[in-house]
Amino acid sequence: MARNIAIFDTTLRDGEQAPGYSMNLEQKVRFAKQLELLKVDVIEAGFAIASPGDFESVKAISSVIEHSTVASLSRALTKDIDRAWQAVKDAKKPRIHTFIATSRLHLQYKLKMSEIDAFNQAVSMVKYARNLAPEVEFSAEDATRSDRDYLCKVVEAVIKSGATIVNIPDTVGYTTPEEFGSLISYIMNNVPNIDKAKVAVHCHNDLGLAVANTLAGLAAGASQAECTMLGIGERAGNASIEELVMAIRTRNEIYDFSYNLDTTQLYNTARLLSNITTVPIAPNKAIVGANAFAHESGIHQHGMLANSLTYEIMTPSSIGLKKNTMVLGKHSGQHAFNHRMKELGYTLDANMSTKLFNDFKNIADKKKEITDRDLIALMESGTQLGPQIYELDNFVVNSGNLMTATACVTLRRNNKKMQAVEMATGPVYACFKAVERIIKQSYVLEDYQLRAVTEHRDALGEVLVKISNVHGVFRGRGVSTDVIEASLLSLISAVNRMIDVSESQTDDKENISLAGRKAKEWISLSEEELLRDMKVSGTVQEEVTMGESHGISK
Ligand SMILES: [Zn+2]
């Protein structure tokens, strides 16, 4: 019988830890609900002690998730474990996930601990956690560079102390499939009580081997795979859920595993993550990239028409990707609009439905046929969960090859209108200068990308911008039939995120969350970076004190 593999999603912890992927509480809760629709077995919702914001997110997710287990990460310290438990205890199925390094390199240089001390700490903290939680997962950080026999001793001892899941992470993405498969086999054969716990694997993608290593670990006996949507995570990221599960599904004769995940939710989940983080999906991304199911060349098309199996190893519908059909026009009513949105996997509340329907009508006036991809783009830009501080009221641009471009832009903030006129070498640049003048804050434009949503001549234009200032990097997305308008909408959404963070510094209440954010960043910084950062900001330091600010890149 096929062995069941549990899918442990850490997009909201390991993924969110990666630079440029941070999410607010509302976004995390929304993504967690989608993970439940995807039927992942475990949602690692965050690292509760890292910041007040992390704690609140884990707690909020614990209160809304019905079926999946909700876990919080914690170092092997009582105060971390207490905080993790406080955050997950109201979940229907709570889990504490605690970790300590087992490699000599980490113990000697990072924790300055002996192997014996680390062993004792692991045992006592697993016991402590198990007194609180029904499920305790223990991770041996940097397991793939640890001494095998020492690792086996730690695994045996933590299982004896109550760990129900033992995770073997390739923290630095160093191992290879053969080596990792042999390590998992070694553990399965040399830990006498290994049948009392589930073995998990957690692989990083520094050498592009995360999914291959995970598959090798599962083949050797592991039964929980830790991964993230789109493979986001520290550095080069983690094993990607969509690649792992579709490899198991497509090559089931090799990987004789069953899983509970609903693969038809993969496409929607990937789009939602890209929408929330405004980081686009690479066109050639396996499984969910725009080109993954495009068979462009003439030879391929001929083969596909004769028999789709010639070039297609899996069907678009297996990941929930629907045909791009032309469905709606300007005479379509709100009912038809809502109905199609529902078919595309979006449930809209009354406010959102009215707002999006108005956006849809505006576009339908300019563009005859609205396709599913247009609707998805509309949905994604219309429901950006970022703050709504400034809104576009109107704009006029003049541009041509015999003149300097000018832009007159009017924005609204709290119903107050503000206008600015600027000249520049091009119309987009002139608009951006006008926005900068209105908001009275400068920033660096790091990236600007314009693309058509569909192939047709009247396609919607989608613009993604990335801006930065001293507070960080902020992204925005905008969609319109007019590329200048799409550019402005995209810039305004990025600027709103930037202002939300900048202004929170002067607001006492908000300061707490900024303190948290700062503390959280510190955790993943090296000591040198940490000192540099302290010199620059010289500010808040909550909960996570410097001596302990190590080693969260499990
Ligand atoms: Zn990791």
Side-chain angles (χ1 to χ4, degrees), residues 532-550:
R532 200 174 55 219
D533 194 53
M534 282 182 72
K535 269 188 209 133
V536 175
S537 62
T539 53
V540 285
Q541 189 178 2
E542 289 232 330
E543 309 237 19
V544 180
T545 56
M546 248 205 70
E548 299 161 347
S549 61
H550 308 288

Side-chain angles (χ1 to χ4, degrees), residues 428 432 445-450 463-466 483 487 490:
V428 173
F432 281 24
L445 180 65
E446 301 259 358
D447 193 21
Y448 171 94
Q449 286 181 44
L450 167 65
V463 172
L464 298 166
V465 302
K466 187 162 100 180
V483 295
S487 305
S490 158

